[in-house]
Structure formats: C-alpha cells, structure tokens
Amino acid sequence: MTPLHTALSVLLAPLASAAFIALFLRRRGTAASVVSVAAAAFAALGGLELAFGLSRFSGSVEWFRFGSFAVELGFKFDDLAALMLSIVGVIGLCVHVFSLGYMRDDPAKARYFGGLSIFMFSMIGIVLADNLFMMFIFWELVGFSSYFLINHWYEKLSASDAAKKAFIVNRVGDFGFVLGIILCYWRNGTVNLTELGASHDLVFSRLIPLLLFCGAVGKSAQLPLQVWLPDAMEGPTPVSALIHAATMVAAGIYMLCRINVLMVPSSMEVIAWVGTLTALYSALCAVTQRDIKKVLAYSTLSQLGYMVAAFGLGSVGASMFHLTTHAFFKALLFLGSGSVILGCHHEQDIFRMGGLRTRMPVTFWTFTVAVAAIVGLPGLAGFFSKDAILVLAYDRNPAVFAVLALTAILTAFYMLRLWKIVFLGEPRGESAGQAHESGVSMTAPLVLLALLSATGGYMWLYHGAFGGVFSQIPEAAGSAHVVILLTSLFVLAVGAGSSLAFYTSDGSDALEQRSPAAFGFLFALRACFDRAYDYYVQKIQQRAAMALNFIDIVALAGIAVRGLAGAVEVVGFGVRALHTGRINNYVYWFLAGVVVLWAFAAGVL
Amino acid sequence: MTPSLEAYVMLSAALFAVGFLGVLVRKNTLVIYMCLELMLVAATLALVAFSHFNGTLDGDVFVFFILTVAAAEVAVGLAIIVALFRARKTVRVDQLDSLKH
C-alpha cells in the first residue's frame, strides 16, 4: 500500500464503521462498540505508521467544476498534519477504549459508538484536507458530530439545549469562516493550501485572516463565542474528553496553523489578544465552578487561549506543541473525571466527593500526573509547552506575557483546588463513600495518557518525526532563560500554595465563605456573556423577528399573495353571477352587445 | 289605394319587435323558435317592400336566399329540439340550465 492509500483507508475506516453501525447494528450495542473501537485502532495505527514512517505527500482529485471554479478533494500530509493525525488517533483510541467501560450500560450504546466513529472520520478529514473548501466540509461534519454526541442523552432538556447552543454558536463563527474562504478565493484565485504556500504574489489583506479566524473562534471557543463549551459538558464524559478538550476544539488552532501564510501582523495582534483575554477570562471563571467537568471545561478554554495567543505571537511551533501536550493531559483529566463520576454514581459536584485518593488509586495517581502537567510542574509535559509560550510572549509582547503569567497562577490555583477537594479529605457524600475503582478498560487509557502527559514535553518521544513543526519552538536565550524559569516556578508556587492553604476539605467553597463579594463577582463574570446573549436574542433579535413577521404577514402574505388571490376571486364571483345558464339572460347580453356595437358604428362612443 | 313604404316598414318593425320580445320573455323553446322565424319574416318583408318601391330585384333575390336558408335552418332546429326533448323530457328554457352548473 502506498502512503496515499494508507491515508485514504485511515480516513474511510471510521466512516465505514459509522455506516455499518447505522445500517446493521443499531440494536446491538456490544457489536457496534467492537466495530467502532476496531476502526479507531486502525485509524490510530495507520496514522502513527504514516507519521513516524516519515511519509509526507500531497495530492488531489477534482470533485466537480463550475466553469473555471473547481472544487477538489485532496490530502496534504506534512509534518503539521502528521502531528495532528497522531494526536487525533491516539486520543481517539484512548477515548474509544475508555468508552467501552464508561458506556457499558447505556441503552443507546450503538448510537454513541456510531457517533464517535463519524466524529473520527470528520476530524481526520480536517487534518488531511489540502484545501479550505474540503476543510470546511469536514469542519461542518465535526460540528454535526459534536451536536450529535452532546445530544446523546437527548431526553434531558439541558443536554438538548446545550447541543443546540453548541451548534448555533458554531454557525456564527462558521459564517465568518466561509466568508473568509470566499474572500481568499476571490483575491488569490485558489484556496489550496500548498498553492497558497508556494504562491509569490499572495494578496495580503487584514480581513481574510480575521474572517478565517472567526471559524477558529467558534470551533475553539474563544471570546466572545466561548459560551457553548461549558454547556457542552452535558454530553457523556468521554465525548467531553475527545471533542471538547483534546481534538475538536484544537481544530481551530490547527486551522490557524494551516493558513499561517495568509497572516499579516495587524491581524496576528488581534488574534494574540483574543487568545490572551480568553485565557484570563476562563481561568477566572473556573475558580467558582462546583461541577468537576465545568472546571475542566473552563480550563480547556483557558489553555486554548494560550494556544491562540502563541499563534498570534507568531509561533506555530509553540502553539502546536502546547496543543499536543494539552491533548494528552486534558484528555487524561477528562477521562479521570469520567472515572470519578462513574465511581461516584454520576455525582458531579466536587463538594460532595472527597476522599477518593484511597478508593480510586489508579484514577488518583493518573489524575495527579495530569494536574501536575497542566500547572507546569518542571519535568512534565505542560511545563515545557507553557514555558515555550511564555518565552515567546516575554520576547514579543510584555503585556501578553504579564496576563499569561497571571493566568498561569490562576490555573495552578483552580486545578489544585479541584484536586484537593475531590481526592483528599474524607468522603462528604454517600456516593463518594461507596466509590470504587473503575475497570481495566477505563484505567488502561488513563495509564497510557499519564505516561504521555509525563513525557510529552521531551523531543525524543517524537523521534524527530515532526521536525517541521517542533523546530519552530522558541527557545529562551541568556537571561530570558532564568527569568522564564523563575516566573514559571513562582506562578506555580503562588497558585498551588495559596490554593492548598486556602481550600479545606469540609464540603464548602472557601472562597464563597470568606469573600462572598469576590465569589459573586467571578460568578457574575461567568454569567455575563450568557446574559448579554440572552438579552440580545430575547429583546433585540426576537423583536426584529416579530417586526419582520408583521411585515411578512401584512405586506407579503396579506397584500401581495392574499390580495392578488382576493382580487381574482372577487372578479370571478362577479363574472359567475352573470353566467345564469338561461337563454333569456344571454339574449339581454346579446342585445346589449348589439347596442354597444351600434354605438361604435354610429360614432357615439 | 296602395299602402305607402312607411306602412310596410312600420309593419316590418312591429313584427320584428314582437318576435324579439317573444325571444326575450317566452320560456318554451318552440315558441322562441317561432319568434325567431317571425323576426326573419319581418326582415324579409322590409326587403320586399324596399325592392318594390325602388323598382329593383336585389331585395327579391335576397329574399329567396333567406327563405332557402330559413327552411334548412328550421329542419335542423326542429330536429335539435326534438332530440333535446327526448334527452331531457322538457323544452322549457328555464329548466335547461345545466351550463350554469
């Protein structure tokens, strides 16, 4: 098999699995899960084989053509795509295996695994796509899969609302994305990534990257479209791990890195600030959350903000490096929280957990590794990638550096809060007291991901396979090296230390007790976007819709449509009255006709 | 003493009016048909009178044609009425209103 065939089969295997499940296995959950996991394993192995076998290729075929406008389907498999494909494959496989345990007793298991497969297909499509049109198609498919999986427990109103919200908010971003694609095609004559990269007379416009960035804002949940991601935690926990932490939301970052050639400094600056503010805002929101998954959701937003900021500061390498390590430890955090939630019989409130350290040892230790990685404990994956971003920010933009360092303090603060409240102390709820360790299908992915989270920051792990991306990671030089190291140790010590000292294991939120004002402020900060959108939708959009509806009823339906029909009807009614069917009446009309004719002939009329 | 042209024309007009009024108000198809014939005869009378007073034969020749056509028309018209009566069991025009429905 040539690498191209391997790539094609990696792309199509999950689709085949989804189709097979949809057609034949809808009522046979166990069989469906086996098929889906097999497809995911195939995709993961094929992807790793391609990535580490150093196969790099590109090629496309024409799909259809309108005049001079041709839409092509093709693969562009460079180091960037290879890296992303490996991440998607590995994390996807872990989540599939984890789901075997997590969703074992779910009545709609077949639908769930079919959804995972269609998601894998869509995501691999984005990764391999060699032009923006094809990427957009898979982009929308990913949006659909996300909707489908968030909505898995659709009988729950909150789940179906969250799914709709995710879908609609993404549409807002995608509208900008599609405008950007059209503008790019109009100005440059092509949207093929290879051709754009090789083109010498590229039109640089501020608008094109910003419009394309809109797509990333929606998919990667940056300000101001971040509202869908915390709500999307209504889906099953492995879905949150796969889609809303490790891969799908990373698609926005990946897309930005793909269109790097189109960037201009002024739009990069906007992107950097959007990312920075998202990082800070979400970290602040995470501090007050009680739901274990929502803490992690805001933490995801915050880390995505880091990646966007890194990209905006001009380093694809730093952005993708953090994406990689984040995928490992965030998937681990989510899967660990899934294990906790299942162990506690679907209890998600962290203040009703506690004491899980001894009851769920594997989950505890792997979760601890992930927490250590995300807060940047030296030696673990997050330390290297976060430092790369901080080096970059220190070098390029001190203001961004300051905000990101503050965010790092907050990250350490809320992650340690979560860790301490969930695992330490005594059980505070009945379900936490009866918690038990999960089965091997759930702990095995945790251990694998813990290993990756610990080692993901070292370049030997990648065997030099992604040199095209990782060679661009900024390195601190001279005094900056010391500054960065001290900064990261300082923020870690401050954040973690204050959190461990501040929070107790007595089942109440210490911040809420000791400083209600600060707590209330952070809580309102979290809600303000939802409030603003609610206000906009209910008061402004709804009224505009009512006005349009009124115009529609009166002008279009009333006058234009109903009025025209009414006029014809009235005429018809009158004419029908003349038509009596009696010869005598017709003779009168005949007479009248003769009189008129005579009048014409005589020149009277 | 011979009647004047005015008298002939007046008689013709009166006959025509009687025929026309009959067509307008009568309900029986046969009577309407006879009234139609009466109007035709009124026209014929006027033609003959004009022909006589003008001393030409144009009107007389025209009358022959009209009589011929009228004879043919009567044959066809009466046949239609008979057929109509067989089909509908009536020749009253106020009952023959299926065109309306």
Side-chain angles (χ1 to χ4, degrees):
Chain A
M1 270 209 313
T2 64
L4 191 64
H5 287 133
T6 313
L8 200 60
S9 56
V10 163
L11 174 65
L12 293 181
L15 178 65
S17 148
F20 191 68
I21 290 170
L23 291 175
F24 304 115
L25 300 176
R26 292 188 20 189
R27 304 202 185 287
R28 301 170 68 186
T30 312
S33 62
V34 170
V35 170
S36 181
V37 170
F42 179 80
L45 293 177
L48 290 175
E49 151 79 22
L50 284 174
F52 288 96
L54 297 178
S55 316
R56 302 291 182 262
F57 55 88
S58 63
S60 61
V61 290
E62 185 176 304
W63 185 20
F64 59 80
R65 170 183 283 280
F66 298 119
S68 64
F69 168 72
V71 173
E72 294 183 332
L73 295 180
F75 293 159
K76 175 178 159 75
F77 197 72
D78 53 0
D79 281 354
L80 184 63
L83 174 61
M84 193 71 192
L85 186 63
S86 314
I87 298 170
V88 171
V90 170
I91 305 287
L93 180 59
C94 286
V95 167
H96 273 77
V97 173
F98 186 87
S99 301
L100 285 177
Y102 193 84
M103 302 299 280
R104 196 175 56 212
D105 301 323
D106 195 272
K109 208 155 104 173
R111 176 156 52 81
Y112 173 81
F113 277 97
L116 282 188
S117 281
I118 196 84
F119 169 77
M120 288 296 281
F121 165 67
S122 324
M123 191 64 209
I124 294 172
I126 290 187
V127 173
L128 295 175
D130 80 330
N131 66 70
L132 290 175
F133 283 122
M134 180 175 168
M135 193 184 259
F136 185 73
I137 293 167
F138 285 100
W139 191 266
E140 294 300 309
L141 273 173
V142 162
F144 157 74
S145 326
S146 165
Y147 169 83
F148 190 76
L149 288 167
I150 298 170
N151 216 355
H152 180 69
W153 291 313
Y154 58 85
E155 61 277 4
K156 253 168 67 187
L157 184 65
S158 56
S160 62
D161 280 350
K164 277 183 273 183
K165 187 171 177 182
F167 199 73
I168 292 167
V169 171
N170 266 296
R171 291 289 76 65
V172 176
D174 291 351
F175 186 63
F177 188 34
V178 77
L179 285 182
I181 294 174
I182 292 167
L183 195 62
C184 178
Y185 185 80
W186 182 43
R187 302 296 293 276
N188 290 318
T190 179
V191 288
N192 186 298
L193 295 162
T194 316
E195 287 171 23
L196 283 175
S199 174
H200 294 296
D201 49 355
L202 215 52
V203 178
F204 286 108
S205 133
R206 192 177 173 177
L207 198 57
I208 295 173
L210 284 182
L211 282 172
L212 292 171
F213 178 58
C214 282
V217 168
K219 197 65 83 201
S220 292
Q222 298 296 296
L223 285 177
L225 296 181
Q226 88 289 14
V227 290
W228 68 269
L229 203 150
D231 287 24
M233 295 302 124
E234 289 294 339
T237 310
V239 168
S240 307
L242 179 62
I243 299 189
H244 308 121
T247 55
M248 174 186 124
V249 290
I253 317 292
Y254 175 74
M255 185 270 280
L256 285 179
C257 296
R258 277 295 217 195
I259 56 161
N260 192 25
V261 288
L262 293 170
M263 290 294 159
V264 294
S266 55
S267 49
M268 297 276 271
E269 199 174 336
V270 174
I271 292 171
W273 275 108
V274 168
T276 310
L277 292 177
T278 307
L280 179 64
Y281 169 82
S282 315
L284 286 171
C285 292
V287 173
T288 59
Q289 295 300 313
R290 297 175 67 95
D291 183 326
I292 182 168
K293 286 175 72 182
K294 292 222 165 154
V295 178
L296 295 177
Y298 279 109
S299 142
T300 301
L301 284 175
S302 182
Q303 301 300 313
L304 288 168
Y306 265 96
M307 297 171 211
V308 171
F311 177 80
L313 292 171
S315 173
V316 169
S319 187
M320 284 306 290
F321 187 31
H322 196 54
L323 191 156
T324 312
T325 59
H326 173 256
F328 295 147
F329 58 66
K330 189 48 67 69
L332 175 53
L333 284 170
F334 265 106
L335 293 184
S337 78
S339 174
V340 166
I341 290 168
L342 198 69
C344 295
H345 306 97
H346 293 277
E347 176 62 63
Q348 298 197 10
D349 185 345
I350 55 174
F351 291 105
R352 299 181 63 181
M353 294 174 179
L356 297 179
R357 182 168 58 93
T358 48
R359 287 178 180 76
M360 308 178 77
V362 179
T363 307
F364 168 70
W365 284 111
T366 52
F367 202 89
T368 308
V369 171
V371 169
I374 193 174
V375 300
L377 195 71
L380 296 178
F383 172 74
F384 296 102
S385 58
K386 199 177 276 188
D387 268 16
I389 294 176
L390 288 177
V391 167
L392 184 72
Y394 184 73
D395 192 33
R396 306 273 165 88
N397 193 331
V400 169
F401 174 73
V403 178
L404 288 183
L406 177 62
T407 308
I409 297 179
L410 286 165
T411 307
F413 186 78
Y414 67 71
M415 284 316 296
L416 266 297
R417 163 185 182 262
L418 178 71
W419 179 76
K420 184 174 181 185
I421 292 172
V422 170
F423 288 104
L424 302 187
E426 291 301 311
R428 288 179 298 273
E430 198 181 323
S431 48
Q434 296 168 353
H436 53 85
E437 185 57 275
S438 310
V440 69
S441 71
M442 293 168 72
T443 48
L446 292 180
V447 172
L448 174 64
L449 285 170
L451 288 175
L452 288 172
S453 300
T455 57
Y458 298 101
M459 284 302 140
W460 51 258
L461 182 68
Y462 306 106
H463 292 289
F466 312 114
V469 180
F470 287 156
S471 62
Q472 300 175 39
I473 299 172
E475 301 260 355
S479 66
H481 196 77
V482 181
V483 173
I484 296 299
L485 188 62
L486 286 179
T487 310
S488 59
L489 289 177
F490 173 74
V491 298
L492 174 61
V494 170
S498 58
S499 179
L500 287 175
F502 191 64
Y503 286 100
T504 52
S505 295
D506 64 354
S508 62
D509 194 329
L511 186 66
E512 193 178 5
Q513 306 252 308
R514 293 197 209 167
S515 174
F519 186 83
F521 167 74
L522 292 176
F523 210 76
L525 187 70
R526 183 192 70 76
C528 71
F529 274 92
D530 275 331
R531 292 240 178 86
Y533 290 144
D534 262 357
Y535 180 82
Y536 167 74
V537 169
Q538 285 183 1
K539 295 285 153 59
I540 299 173
Q541 184 181 303
Q542 188 66 15
R543 282 179 190 171
M546 295 284 279
L548 283 177
N549 187 33
F550 181 75
I551 292 173
D552 181 59
I553 288 173
V554 171
L556 283 176
I559 295 174
V561 177
R562 186 72 212 127
L564 213 60
V568 171
E569 202 176 339
V570 167
V571 171
F573 198 75
V575 173
R576 198 169 62 207
L578 301 178
H579 197 83
T580 57
R582 298 188 176 202
I583 292 177
N584 307 89
N585 297 104
Y586 297 141
V587 175
Y588 283 112
W589 284 107
F590 173 71
L591 184 60
V594 169
V595 169
V596 171
L597 205 62
W598 171 78
F600 265 116
V604 178
L605 277 175
Chain B
M1 153 197 133
T2 52
S4 65
L5 178 61
E6 283 78 14
Y8 283 109
V9 174
M10 289 292 283
L11 178 61
S12 168
L15 279 175
F16 189 88
V18 169
F20 192 68
L21 203 66
V23 170
L24 283 183
V25 300
R26 296 305 294 263
K27 304 294 182 202
N28 191 316
T29 313
L30 272 174
V31 176
I32 290 172
Y33 203 71
M34 285 191 275
C35 291
L36 281 172
E37 290 302 316
L38 201 57
M39 287 156 73
L40 213 56
V41 167
T44 315
L45 181 64
L47 285 170
V48 171
F50 283 120
S51 187
H52 176 73
F53 282 94
N54 285 342
T56 60
L57 282 175
D58 296 4
D60 293 342
V61 173
F62 204 41
V63 166
F64 279 114
F65 280 106
I66 292 178
L67 284 177
T68 315
V69 170
E73 184 207 317
V74 165
V76 174
L78 281 176
I80 289 175
I81 291 170
V82 170
L84 189 66
F85 182 76
R86 281 187 183 156
R88 308 291 299 268
K89 302 293 172 208
T90 179
V91 288
R92 290 184 62 85
V93 286
D94 51 352
Q95 288 163 2
L96 296 172
D97 57 356
S98 53
L99 260 183
K100 181 183 179 182
H101 302 298

